[in-house]
Amino acid sequence: VSVVNSLRMKRFCSQSIRVEASRDAILTQMQALAKTLPEYSLVREMPCIGDTLAPRLIAEIGDVRRFHSKRALIAYAGIDAPPYQSGKFCANNRHISKRGNRYLRKTGYEVMQSYVMHKPANDPIFTFIEKKRGEGKSGKLAMVAGLNKFLRVYYGKVTELYRSSSAIE
């Protein structure tokens, strides 16, 4: 029995190494493609966005110019709270819609984890997350609020980049 388990372990380890090598190759290709985009350097300059998160974020959002507003990008991410009204009743305690891109939500959550882990000084997004935590919000709610702010900042910076580059051309 132990010989069989030993063989299984060796097979599992070799499969794990192959999967990791494949993941690294895909990430390298994603980075090479992302570096050709005008917004890559802008996204990389944002605090807590590294070589791994930048291409994933750009890939999940796609061309930001297809969104008519920052609210549309937030809705695409699925972190908007849809209105809940019936007659004169208007609910105040609402949850995110989750109707958008779940991979963007996951990548965004990882970006927020990076913000919380690195604690960039004088950064408005980290300050906002800390403010929400100070108001008694749970860590997850504060991070979703921070992601909401992050996507608004991202939308503003990238659309400004494309506006200024189209004005030059």
Side-chain angles (χ1 to χ4, degrees), residues 61 64 66-83 94 97 99-101 104 147-156 159 163:
I61 292 174
V64 78
R66 67 189 169 121
F67 300 106
H68 62 86
S69 68
K70 57 189 170 202
R71 288 188 191 105
L73 175 58
I74 290 166
Y76 177 72
I79 58 171
D80 59 332
R94 301 172 305 171
S97 68
R99 65 179 175 205
N101 184 335
L104 176 56
L147 177 56
N148 199 316
K149 185 171 184 78
F150 174 82
L151 289 175
R152 283 186 261 138
V153 169
Y154 178 95
Y155 180 84
T159 52
R163 269 194 222 118

Side-chain angles (χ1 to χ4, degrees), residues 38-59:
E39 68 259 31
Y40 180 77
S41 59
L42 182 74
V43 173
R44 280 290 286 122
E45 289 172 4
M46 297 175 89
C48 305
I49 307 294
D51 289 333
T52 304
L53 284 175
R56 288 177 54 200
L57 190 63
I58 291 169

Side-chain angles (χ1 to χ4, degrees), residues 107-123:
T107 302
Y109 192 77
E110 290 176 18
V111 169
M112 291 302 103
Q113 283 180 321
S114 180
Y115 267 89
V116 169
M117 187 170 60
H118 292 102
K119 300 175 179 28
N122 301 323
D123 182 70

Side-chain angles (χ1 to χ4, degrees), residues 3 9 15 20 38 45 51 60 68 74 78-79 89 93-94 134 153 157 164:
V3 173
M9 243 354 212
Q15 286 176 342
E20 190 171 331
E45 289 172 4
D51 289 333
E60 291 305 330
H68 62 86
I74 290 166
I79 58 171
F89 174 76
N93 188 10
R94 301 172 305 171
V153 169
K157 286 184 175 184
S164 64

